[in-house]
């Protein structure tokens, strides 16, 4: 069975906020500190009429249009988010209703923080493999601007809002013309990991069942930095599972937390600098949306081409991690 990635889509809030704009908004920081510590130059922040749902919907609609797939042909919708519009129903439910996907479709959210998109890919693959349709919408969508403490300059400068989506197909008869050869296509292998004993390193300070609030982001920055580099700097087992080696990777698309984390992990892996896709400078850390937004950027500007081997790597709250390898 093949799980080809047919298209990507992206949605960002209307308002782009530079580092200097943050200073103008009253955050006690400066552009030089943020750029030197994180590589972040700007982020997008939702206005009142924008939300995780509207971003997820817009990214999904764009991905469907680009794939030439009608909403009626979607069998699975998985939204990776930890910043949903409502505690329930899920963002996936809102997206299903808004785009007019069939009521027979499997639609659910996955709360995996920054690893959420890889968890969503794994979930969608499993649902498609069980026969729940021929196409899945896999979406990462977040509005971290609504859960950061704007008085905590050590965290609020790091995050942004956005959504990215892919349409994943499911075929048992090979490549369907994507690459024109018979090699395995699409999502070749995916793996996930979790160390819940490290939950305190990066978490929300509240939740529905504890404080009856959403809480704000609380993070042990240096510890998270160290753990992220250690995990993302290891050659992930997905490559061997797919019968590939690091040298086969054309594009490394990691979770976009901090350019220093990305470069340290890339160095540890020994991957060439020009194979690393970086969007954290433009989007900041958009949690579960960061990998699909980075994928979309590199596909739409022509870097990622059909047949390329793409390695995605995520790391985030949990502490959690995940990797996926795709033959585009
Ligand atoms: N602007 C200006 N000064 C600041 C800011 C800011 N935004 N934030 C902190 N500072 C100051 C501190 O007050 C401190 O000042 P002091 O020395 O006078 O006390 C100084 O800068 C150093 O602060 P640290 O927190 O020790 O800075 P550090 O060098 O550790 O960098 C950072 C902080 C950028 C958060 C770093 O730890 C990091 O990148 N960690 C990874 C966290 C991350 O990316 N998390 C995202 C979620 S996890 C994930 O997605 C994988």
């Amino acid at each position: 069975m093949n799980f080809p990635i047919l298209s990507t889509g992206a949605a960002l809030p209307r308002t782009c906020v530079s580092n200097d704009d943050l200073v103008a908004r009253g955050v006690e920081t400066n552009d030089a500190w943020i750029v030197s510590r994180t590589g972040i130059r700007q982020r997008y922040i939702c206005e009142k009429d924008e939300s995780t749902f509207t971003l997820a919907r817009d990214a999904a609609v764009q991905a469907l249009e680009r794939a030439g797939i009608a909403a009626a042909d979607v069998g699975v919708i998985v939204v990776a988010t930890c910043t949903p519009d409502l505690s329930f129903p899920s963002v996936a439910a809102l997206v299903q209703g808004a785009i007019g996907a069939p009521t027979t479709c499997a639609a659910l959210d996955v709360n995996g923080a920054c690893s959420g998109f890889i968890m969503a890919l794994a979930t969608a693959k499993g649902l498609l493999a069980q026969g729940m349709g021929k196409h899945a919408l896999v979406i990462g969508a977040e509005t971290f601007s609504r859960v950061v403490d704007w008085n905590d300059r050590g965290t609020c400068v790091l995050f942004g809002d956005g959504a990215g989506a892919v349409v994943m197909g499911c075929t048992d008869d090979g490549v369907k013309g994507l690459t024109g050869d018979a090699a395995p296509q699409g999502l070749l292998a995916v793996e996930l990991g979790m160390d819940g004993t490290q939950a305190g390193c990066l978490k929300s300070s509240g939740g529905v069942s504890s404080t009856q609030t959403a809480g704000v982001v609380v993070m042990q920055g240096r510890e998270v930095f160290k753990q992220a580099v250690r995990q993302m700097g290891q050659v992930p087992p997905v490559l061997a599972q797919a019968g590939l080696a690091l040298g086969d990777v054309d594009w490394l698309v990691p979770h976009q937390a901090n350019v220093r984390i990305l470069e340290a992990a890339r160095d540890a892996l020994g991957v060439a600098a020009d194979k690393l896709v970086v969007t954290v400078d433009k989007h900041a850390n958009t949690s579960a949306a960061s990998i699909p937004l980075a994928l979309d950027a590199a596909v739409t500007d022509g870097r990622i081409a059909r047949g390329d081997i793409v390695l995605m790597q995520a790391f985030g709250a949990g502490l959690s991690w995940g990797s996926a390898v795709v033959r585009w």
Side-chain angles (χ1 to χ4, degrees):
M1 221 175 225
N2 284 297
F3 300 91
I5 307 293
L6 302 174
S7 65
T8 63
L12 291 164
R14 289 191 299 278
T15 308
C16 181
V17 178
S18 69
N19 294 340
D20 286 338
D21 294 336
L22 284 184
V23 177
R25 288 178 177 214
V27 180
E28 230 183 282
T29 188
N30 57 79
D31 179 63
W33 191 96
I34 301 174
V35 172
S36 67
R37 295 298 217 290
T38 71
I40 296 166
R41 293 181 182 277
Q42 61 177 46
R43 74 283 296 137
Y44 291 82
I45 292 184
C46 280
E47 299 292 343
K48 280 203 166 61
D49 62 334
E50 296 171 307
S51 70
T52 295
F53 155 62
T54 68
L55 296 172
R57 176 199 61 201
D58 294 352
V61 167
Q62 184 176 62
L64 285 174
E65 278 170 10
R66 287 179 178 166
I69 301 290
D73 294 324
V74 172
V76 171
I77 302 173
V78 184
V79 180
T81 188
C82 58
T83 50
D85 289 46
L86 306 167
S87 298
F88 60 88
S90 61
V91 175
L94 304 179
V95 170
Q96 181 272 331
I99 67 173
T103 54
T104 49
C105 93
L108 56 131
D109 286 2
V110 166
N111 177 346
C114 299
S115 305
F117 185 71
I118 304 297
M119 296 182 189
L121 276 178
T123 305
K125 180 183 176 186
L127 292 170
L128 288 175
Q130 288 176 62
M132 298 215 182
K134 288 288 170 209
H135 302 102
L137 263 172
V138 188
I139 305 166
E142 303 273 21
T143 45
F144 260 66
S145 68
R146 295 193 170 144
V147 289
V148 291
D149 175 357
W150 284 102
N151 294 312
D152 176 6
R153 65 179 182 171
T155 53
C156 71
V157 302
L158 303 176
F159 294 94
D161 303 336
V166 301
V167 175
M168 185 160 77
C170 175
T171 65
D172 47 15
D173 59 349
V175 295
K176 288 285 183 203
L178 281 183
T179 56
D181 64 40
Q185 181 74 37
L187 183 59
L188 304 179
V190 57
E191 57 151 354
L192 301 170
M194 179 69 78
D195 180 1
T197 66
Q198 303 288 312
C201 285
L202 174 57
K203 62 173 191 173
S204 154
S205 64
V208 177
S209 186
S210 53
T211 59
Q212 294 80 58
T213 66
V216 291
V217 176
V218 181
M219 179 179 74
Q220 294 169 22
R222 290 199 174 176
E223 186 55 27
V224 172
F225 191 104
K226 231 170 40 196
Q227 301 260 18
V229 171
R230 188 186 52 76
Q231 184 63 39
M232 296 208 289
Q234 289 173 31
V235 179
V238 276
L239 281 174
Q241 283 167 29
L244 297 167
L246 204 52
D248 297 316
V249 172
D250 296 298
W251 299 105
L252 187 59
V253 184
H255 165 55
Q256 307 280 317
N258 176 322
V259 85
R260 286 163 57 223
I261 294 178
L262 301 189
E263 284 177 356
R266 180 193 59 72
D267 260 359
L269 287 171
V271 170
D274 60 359
K275 293 184 172 186
L276 176 67
V277 176
V278 177
T279 50
V280 68
D281 54 329
K282 297 188 185 68
H283 302 155
N285 182 346
T286 57
S287 185
S290 89
I291 289 178
L293 277 171
L295 272 180
D296 181 76
V299 169
T300 53
D301 71 16
R303 273 178 290 172
I304 296 179
R306 285 292 169 207
D308 284 355
I309 299 296
V310 179
L311 175 63
M312 304 173 218
Q313 279 183 300
F315 183 84
L319 293 174
S320 60
W321 55 92
S323 302
V325 62
V326 169
R327 184 165 186 267
W328 202 257

